Amino acid sequence: MNNANNTNFKSGFISIIGRPNVGKSTLLNALIGSKVSIVSEIPQTTRFQVRGILNMENAQIVFVDTPGIHSFKKSFIQHLNTVAKKSIEGIEGILYVVDVSREPGEEEEDIMRFVASAGLPTIMAFNKIDTGGENEEDFRKLWQTVLKETQKPDPVRKYIRISALKGKNLDELKEALLDLLPAGHPYYEKDTLTDFPLKFRISDIIREKLFYFLKKELPHSVAVEIETIEDRSENEKGLIYISAIIYVNRDSQKKIIIGKGGQLLKKVGSLAREELEQIFNKKVYLELFVKVVKDWQKSPRILRELGYWWT
Ligand code: GDP
Ligand code: MG
């Protein structure tokens, strides 16, 4: 860590916040420059889930997840202030990502309330501008409404229109993020990319494939829990066994995800398996189950398993 004594060096923690499928993982991969590799065994040095680390010549940005901000209807609103306070202690700033290819909905409003109450320096990234970005104005308006309602000053330092997929305006975004960081030494060795737990990385891949096939049909209330990861290489040459549960709220959603004759789930499984085999560099056997749990968003056990809460 040669840069530790360099007084020009900046470092800090930035929380990436945004609804599922707005492009957070894509953006992280684009910023860090390679697929986030799995380094699951690094002991957690912070209570945050580190999603990735961006090393620059004179700075290190540690991107983290902020659990507990997902939309849990009433309980979410009720606990907004305590959750907001607790989950962002020690964070320098927020990278708030919205998807301008979709209309902002109720869930977006909840997240905006969170960002507004957090009051941390924030960069608001309008992602997917390559799609035309027709909803940008609606997001801006909603944001102003939420600010008025929460009666807080606007924490947004910069609004940036980006495309994580096409790599558009990402240098500008990096610059804006750097402006949020204080002077400081790097927190991690340079070759560390992420210590995001393996389970969450796998569930992310499965959710990404679900989104790929379902797009706007994908229910917001879908969640993927990894139940088992077992290395069965010893008895079945080079095999990793993974089983995952896809939670939905209603039978109708289960039907959509399974598809006619099970076709959709099959395709999801096989795409996910291919990607997992690349990551593990081993054969993977992936089993997917779809489970209807009416209010899984209210089940502490499921939420904990999904990493939404820390205990
Ligand atoms: P996350 O749930 O927020 O991590 O979202 P992902 O990174 O998994 O992205 C969800 C989907 O949006 C994927 O199919 C991405 O390819 C797509 N996506 C992400 N960024 C962009 C973008 O800038 N433009 C377009 N058109 N699609 C994007
Ligand atoms: Mg993701």
Side-chain angles (χ1 to χ4, degrees), residues 29-287:
N29 289 339
L31 286 173
I32 293 176
S34 65
K35 270 243 161 187
V36 177
S37 69
I38 291 169
V39 191
S40 59
E41 301 316 322
I42 298 169
Q44 291 277 337
T45 46
T46 66
R47 63 195 174 75
F48 305 118
Q49 281 156 8
V50 174
R51 294 296 310 254
I53 296 159
L54 174 58
N55 289 301
M56 286 173 280
E57 200 175 325
N58 273 313
Q60 181 177 69
I61 306 181
V62 184
F63 290 104
V64 299
D65 252 2
T66 305
I69 65 136
H70 300 264
S71 173
F72 300 131
K73 306 208 169 81
K74 268 199 192 113
S75 59
F76 174 83
I77 313 279
Q78 277 160 8
H79 297 299
L80 189 64
N81 282 315
T82 34
V83 172
K85 263 204 194 119
K86 212 178 147 194
S87 64
I88 52 163
E89 273 165 23
I91 284 180
E92 266 73 45
I94 290 174
L95 169 56
Y96 173 34
V97 185
V98 302
D99 172 358
V100 292
S101 74
R102 296 174 92 177
E103 286 167 15
E106 229 175 86
E107 193 182 7
E108 196 69 59
E109 213 173 318
D110 283 345
I111 295 183
M112 284 187 176
R113 284 197 194 101
F114 174 86
V115 174
S117 347
L120 280 180
T122 297
I123 305 299
M124 196 184 286
F126 298 106
N127 191 30
K128 310 197 189 179
I129 50 157
D130 56 287
T131 61
E134 72 232 62
N135 300 297
E136 183 183 331
E137 206 40 49
D138 287 347
F139 280 93
R140 287 181 187 268
K141 275 189 197 140
L142 185 61
W143 175 238
Q144 291 307 321
T145 310
V146 168
L147 282 176
K148 254 190 214 129
E149 177 203 294
T150 49
Q151 299 190 304
K152 304 264 182 175
D154 190 351
V156 174
R157 297 287 169 84
K158 198 153 193 190
Y159 299 86
I160 305 183
R161 309 170 70 236
I162 62 164
S163 168
L165 197 65
K166 311 276 181 207
K168 200 155 189 314
N169 295 342
L170 298 189
D171 284 338
E172 197 188 335
L173 176 61
K174 280 185 201 174
E175 285 304 315
L177 290 171
L178 276 183
D179 284 343
L180 305 185
L181 299 188
H185 58 82
Y187 288 90
Y188 292 87
E189 297 286 350
K190 265 211 150 140
D191 52 5
T192 309
L193 288 176
T194 184
D195 60 356
F196 192 52
L198 185 58
K199 262 181 157 182
F200 301 134
R201 178 76 184 115
I202 296 172
S203 62
D204 231 32
I205 288 171
I206 297 169
R207 211 172 42 78
E208 193 183 290
K209 306 308 172 207
L210 281 167
F211 182 77
Y212 175 79
F213 288 110
L214 289 165
K215 302 259 156 53
K216 287 180 183 176
E217 266 189 282
L218 185 71
H220 283 312
S221 54
V222 72
V224 181
E225 176 187 346
I226 305 303
E227 206 183 23
T228 327
I229 311 172
E230 256 172 41
D231 194 336
R232 295 184 178 170
S233 319
E234 296 203 345
N235 35 20
E236 290 159 74
K237 220 170 123 211
L239 196 78
I240 306 275
Y241 172 82
I242 298 170
S243 71
I245 305 172
I246 300 168
Y247 288 103
V248 289
N249 287 143
R250 290 194 301 272
D251 272 325
S252 58
Q253 297 170 334
K254 179 175 174 172
K255 261 197 195 140
I256 293 176
I257 285 178
I258 291 177
K260 273 209 184 90
Q263 281 306 307
L264 195 120
L265 195 61
K266 224 182 200 166
K267 283 193 230 160
V268 167
S270 98
L271 267 193
R273 180 177 46 75
E274 278 168 28
E275 189 164 338
L276 291 168
E277 287 182 340
Q278 282 179 355
I279 287 173
F280 286 107
N281 205 13
K282 280 186 179 171
K283 278 228 161 307
V284 169
Y285 186 86
L286 175 65
E287 228 174 345

